[in-house]
Every structure is written in structure tokens, then in C-alpha cells.
Amino acid sequence: MKRFKSFFGSSPGVVAMIWEDLQKTWINEAQVPPQDRKIKYFLMTMHQLKRYPTEIECEGMFDISAMWGRDWVWYFVEKVQALKAEKIVWPDDFGGEKWVITVDGTHCWIQEPQHPTWSQDSRFYSHKYGKAGLNYELGILLSGSKLVWMNGPFMAGGNHKSVLTKKGLKEKLEAIEKKGIGDAGYYGHQGVIVCPNPHDEKVAKFKSRALKRHETFNGRTKLFDCLSGRFRHSVDRFKNCFEAVCVICQYQIEIEDPLYDVIVEGMFD
């Protein structure tokens, strides 16, 4: 089991469920027709996301030409990514709670993009890596183990507040009159995001546990080498891989490894 997970990123049960859903899903972009249901190439894709090998390494490991293997890997990456329409969905009803999600951005290291004048483009500079990066905004449901918002990628040189304002989440929260919980990077958006502060002692632990749980999900995505090291492909391919990994992490949560509960006994005593 340990070897399987280290090679494909998930347990056999999770991998099998994704493979089954690719055949049975109602999402046209994700559905794999009978003539393309080649389990070897699907497993190559899972290995690609987990270990992020070079094409030469894959050629020897799976006994397939680099060009042929490349085409099949990206085919299945896009299929898994398309399952986001089923697995990562903004709820129709959040119930009576006022605070409904945690919000955070996560940075990933990428190959330095070319700039027409300078050797580096400061818009991509990630303060977390000290190198070029991309940022994704994620929202996780407070009342359950579920990723419900995924937006990006954005140049890592921006901040959380600019992404929140310009790219849709602020409008979504305002429309339903709900709020999210975010870290200090969201100060200035208290209308839709509540942040830690020294005057809310009664809920400080709740906010802290909620944000740490969110970091747990971010950490799970970084267990996939395509997101933890330098991404060698294009920005479009990064989007394919990042969203496919988030879909896989959501399967893991639903099948065998849910996120911990935010509220614990005695929290508000």
C-alpha cells in the first residue's frame, strides 16, 4: 500500500473510484469513451502528477515512446481536471451560518517566465519561494470536508486582497450575505472576510483551527511533486495539473481521509 501511494499518489480505492467515475460521469469533458479506456495510460497520468518525472524517465519506466506517452498523459490529466464540475461545487444553500468557508491562497513554484526586457518578471515573484510562482485561491467549507471554491492561477506577485476583489469570490459571498475566514492577508475586506484579531478571544481558537485545517488541505496538494517542486510546463498545463490534483485530494477526503472538525468540545466554554 505504501509503495502504491508513493507511486500513484493515492490508495487503490481512490484511484479505482476516479477511474470508474471517468467512465460513468455525466460531464462530457470528463467522460472517457470506451476506445480510450486504457488503464495503463491512466496510471501513467496518476504517476505523472505524483512524481512529475521527465519524459525520458517515463519512456523507460512504462516502455512507451515519449511522444505517445505525453499525449496520453495530458489527455487523462484534462479528464481528471474536468471532474471538478462534479467534485468542487459552490453549494446552493449554506444554511443559517454566517461564516461558511475558509479562504486562502497557495503558491507554487514555476519556471521563470520570459520577459521582453528583464531577466525576471516581478509580477510572478512569490514571497513564499523567493522565485517565480503562481497563486491559486481556494475555499473550503467550514461545515464539512469539502473544497467548494477554486480560482486561478494568478501571478504570485499579487496579494490575497487583489485576487478576492477582482476574481469573483467577494461578489459570491456578498450575493448570499455570508462571510469567509481568512488570514491577515485579507485585512481590509472585513465586509466578506473575517480575520484573526486580538479582540475576539471567544472565537480565536475557532478561527485558528479553521485556518490550520485549510493549511492541511494545501499541504495535501503539495504531496504531489508536480506542485511541490519547480513546474516545468506552461501556465495552461499548470492549471490542468493543479485542478486535477485538487480533484484527487477531494476524492481522498470523501473516501478515506476527511479533514478534521473545526469545532471541538469545550471550545466556547
Side-chain angles (χ1 to χ4, degrees), residues 196-227:
N197 69 72
H199 305 295
D200 62 356
E201 294 182 6
K202 291 185 178 180
V203 293
K205 186 179 292 186
F206 176 81
K207 289 181 180 179
S208 176
R209 279 181 60 84
L211 291 173
K212 287 177 180 178
R213 187 181 76 149
H214 195 117
E215 288 296 333
T216 297
F217 184 90
N218 290 350
R220 291 186 186 187
T221 67
K222 299 300 174 62
L223 293 176
F224 290 79
D225 291 352
C226 66
L227 302 185

Side-chain angles (χ1 to χ4, degrees), residues 163-220:
V163 171
L164 180 77
T165 302
K166 298 176 182 178
K167 303 301 180 180
L169 183 56
K170 181 179 180 182
E171 289 76 11
K172 274 188 170 291
L173 289 171
E174 287 176 337
I176 59 175
E177 299 182 343
K178 303 292 186 181
K179 293 186 178 185
I181 297 175
D183 60 20
Y186 288 97
Y187 279 128
H189 281 293
Q190 282 83 351
V192 290
I193 302 294
V194 294
C195 304
N197 69 72
H199 305 295
D200 62 356
E201 294 182 6
K202 291 185 178 180
V203 293
K205 186 179 292 186
F206 176 81
K207 289 181 180 179
S208 176
R209 279 181 60 84
L211 291 173
K212 287 177 180 178
R213 187 181 76 149
H214 195 117
E215 288 296 333
T216 297
F217 184 90
N218 290 350
R220 291 186 186 187

Side-chain angles (χ1 to χ4, degrees), residues 107-109 122-134 156-157:
H107 286 201
C108 295
W109 176 23
S122 61
R123 296 173 300 172
F124 285 93
Y125 179 78
S126 167
H127 65 276
K128 294 185 178 180
Y129 284 97
K131 303 177 179 72
L134 290 170

Side-chain angles (χ1 to χ4, degrees), residues 223-263:
L223 293 176
F224 290 79
D225 291 352
C226 66
L227 302 185
S228 63
R230 180 173 62 89
F231 191 79
R232 303 186 301 269
H233 294 83
S234 68
V235 173
D236 287 341
R237 287 306 187 195
F238 174 81
K239 180 179 177 69
N240 297 145
C241 289
F242 186 93
E243 295 186 355
V245 166
C246 284
V247 168
I248 294 169
C249 289
Q250 185 58 44
Y251 271 95
Q252 293 173 348
I253 287 171
E254 292 178 4
I255 294 173
E256 61 190 18
D257 195 12
L259 299 174
Y260 63 78
D261 293 332
V262 178
I263 298 177

Side-chain angles (χ1 to χ4, degrees), residues 69-78 231 233 237 240-241:
R70 178 196 314 141
D71 291 344
W72 277 110
V73 162
W74 290 120
Y75 172 83
F76 276 109
V77 166
E78 291 174 5
F231 191 79
H233 294 83
R237 287 306 187 195
N240 297 145
C241 289

